[in-house]
């Protein structure tokens, strides 16, 4: 029914346990930063609000400010999180899928970093390519939505909107699949390989999306379960801080659940999607008809082609940086 094998997924993730631990430490640090930011901000808000008889207001705005500062810092660090955490894990997983040996222990992190540098040379280049891939994936998915919207059955259109919303959520695994294909092909021109992989995705849209949507639903079910399980402990923790019960309990519990999702749950879906894409597209080449369709449908796809051509013009070496 599906094109992945969970047993093999868990074996692969077990072989990359050092990287899983690295991911958990990173996202635990992010969670801790939010707790400190919200708690510290609330404390400062309480101190500044107390002289004016506005302790509750001070706590709320102080916590909100702390939350905003941490979120802003993470926004500026997002390129490096992608480069150091996601891209590195993808690199070692692809090595294992291809039957190559990887080191264990802490050296696995350094090994992954070297593999990322071989393909992308810098965080900005990888981030720029990743953003292009996401935009093109949205364009491909809109093709299905546009066709469905032409069906003059209101009830069916509502169902299609729900399905398209779920498909949009599945994009986070599909762009990682494209990055995995770049590693797998040992490409010297990641723009060209990404372009070919996107065409292969479009050619096999239905079969790949079937797997992606199923995995996305499982991921969010597990994330909601984690949220429910941590809600009580988070409430007890925030009871120690004045004025943070209620709204901020749900916010911090959500941060914890999303961190667990990013550190532990998402790698399962990501690895499964690698299996799906590699199996479904095995032996295929990009269909020129699909290339033409995507050229018409997406300006970003045309831009990707231009970048691929520019990189090829550099002799297949280091591609031009993304703007």
């Amino acid at each position: 029914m599906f094109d992945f094998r969970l047993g093999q997924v868990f074996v692969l993730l077990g072989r990359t346990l050092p990287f899983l631990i690295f991911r958990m430490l990173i996202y635990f640090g992010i969670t801790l930063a939010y707790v400190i930011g919200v708690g510290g901000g609330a404390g400062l808000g309480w101190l500044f609000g107390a002289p004016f008889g506005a302790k509750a207001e001070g706590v709320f705005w102080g916590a909100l400010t702390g939350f905003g500062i941490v979120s802003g810092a993470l926004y500026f660090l997002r390129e490096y999180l992608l480069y150091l955490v996601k891209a590195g894990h993808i690199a070692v997983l692809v090595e294992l899928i291809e039957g190559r040996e990887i080191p264990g222990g802490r050296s696995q992190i350094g090994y992954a970093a070297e593999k990322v540098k071989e393909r992308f040379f810098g965080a900005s280049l990888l981030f720029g390519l990743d953003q292009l891939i996401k935009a093109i994936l949205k364009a491909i998915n809109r093709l299905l939505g546009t066709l469905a919207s032409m069906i003059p059955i209101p009830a069916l259109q509502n169902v299609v909107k729900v399905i398209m919303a779920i498909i949009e959520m599945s994009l986070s695994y599909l762009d990682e699949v494209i990055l995995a294909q770049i590693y797998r092909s040992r490409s010297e021109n990641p723009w060209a390989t990404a372009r070919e992989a996107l065409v292969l995705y479009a050619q096999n849209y239905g079969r790949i999306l079937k797997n992606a949507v199923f995995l996305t639903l499982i991921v969010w079910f597990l994330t909601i379960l984690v949220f429910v399980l941590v809600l009580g402990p988070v409430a007890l923790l925030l009871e120690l801080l004045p004025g943070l019960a209620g709204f901020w309990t749900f916010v911090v519990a959500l941060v914890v659940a999303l961190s667990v999702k990013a550190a532990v749950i998402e790698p399962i879906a990501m690895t499964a999607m690698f299996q799906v894409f590699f199996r479904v597209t095995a032996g295929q080449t990009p269909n020129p008809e699909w290339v033409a369709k995507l050229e018409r449908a997406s300006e970003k796809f045309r831009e990707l082609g231009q970048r691929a051509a520019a990189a090829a013009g550099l002799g297949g070496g280091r591609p031009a940086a993304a703007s």
Side-chain angles (χ1 to χ4, degrees):
M1 182 179 180
F2 294 104
D3 297 287
F4 58 87
R5 300 290 181 268
L6 274 179
Q8 295 174 4
V9 168
F10 287 119
V11 169
L12 289 168
L13 290 175
R15 301 267 315 268
T16 64
L17 184 59
F19 220 101
L20 277 177
I21 294 171
F22 178 61
R23 289 179 72 120
M24 285 187 277
L25 290 173
I26 293 289
Y27 288 103
F28 173 77
I30 290 172
T31 302
L32 186 60
Y34 271 110
V35 171
I36 292 172
V38 170
L44 290 173
W46 187 89
L47 288 174
F48 283 108
F52 304 99
K55 292 180 181 178
E57 292 85 352
V59 166
F60 177 81
W61 289 109
L64 186 62
T65 301
F67 185 87
I69 290 171
V70 175
S71 297
L74 289 175
Y75 178 81
F76 285 107
L77 290 172
R78 68 196 188 283
E79 290 186 20
Y80 296 96
L81 285 174
L82 172 66
Y83 192 69
L84 295 173
V85 182
K86 285 190 176 181
H89 202 185
I90 291 170
V92 292
L93 283 167
V94 170
E95 290 292 292
L96 288 175
I97 290 171
E98 291 297 289
R100 292 186 281 268
E101 288 300 315
I102 63 171
R106 294 177 61 182
S107 60
Q108 190 175 110
I109 312 301
Y111 176 82
E114 287 301 317
K115 288 295 177 183
V116 175
K117 288 177 184 177
E118 285 177 12
R119 299 276 79 82
F120 297 108
F121 310 106
S124 295
L125 188 145
L126 172 58
F127 185 75
L129 176 59
D130 187 62
Q131 294 303 301
L132 262 182
I133 291 170
K134 286 179 177 177
I136 297 165
L137 285 168
K138 288 181 180 179
I140 294 172
N141 290 333
R142 278 198 300 270
L143 289 175
L144 175 64
T146 300
L147 293 173
S149 66
M150 296 178 182
I151 303 174
I153 305 175
L156 181 58
Q157 290 179 15
N158 291 333
V159 171
V160 168
K161 287 179 181 178
V162 173
I163 293 172
M164 291 305 296
I166 295 172
I167 288 173
E168 288 292 326
M169 284 192 291
S170 73
L171 287 176
S172 61
Y173 311 118
L174 293 172
D175 73 298
E176 290 165 354
V177 166
I178 306 300
L179 296 180
Q181 181 67 3
I182 292 171
Y183 286 118
R184 187 185 184 213
S185 66
R186 296 180 174 267
S187 173
E188 293 295 329
N189 187 339
W191 308 102
T193 305
R195 188 172 183 267
E196 293 174 1
L198 284 161
V199 176
L200 292 177
Y201 163 62
Q203 291 173 201
N204 298 276
Y205 181 89
R207 190 170 166 187
I208 292 174
L209 255 295
K210 175 187 72 174
N211 290 273
V213 168
F214 175 77
L215 287 165
T216 299
L217 293 173
I218 295 299
V219 164
W220 282 104
F221 169 78
L222 292 174
T223 303
I224 292 169
L225 181 62
V226 171
F227 172 79
V228 172
L229 291 175
V230 303
L231 197 55
V234 168
L236 290 174
L237 173 64
L238 295 188
E239 282 291 337
L240 302 175
L241 303 171
L244 283 183
F247 171 76
W248 288 108
T249 298
F250 285 94
V251 172
V252 174
L254 181 61
V255 169
V256 173
L258 292 177
S259 294
V260 173
K261 170 179 174 284
V264 180
I265 301 173
E266 283 188 347
I268 299 172
M270 181 180 75
T271 308
M273 283 305 302
F274 296 167
Q275 289 183 337
V276 171
F277 187 85
F278 297 161
R279 179 172 296 156
V280 170
T281 63
Q284 294 186 18
T285 56
N287 186 323
E289 292 182 8
W290 266 109
V291 173
K293 286 180 183 178
L294 295 181
E295 291 275 2
R296 291 193 299 269
S298 173
E299 179 184 350
K300 294 295 185 182
F301 186 79
R302 295 193 295 273
E303 180 182 344
L304 186 61
Q306 293 164 3
R307 291 187 180 277
L314 293 174
R318 183 174 302 200
S323 57

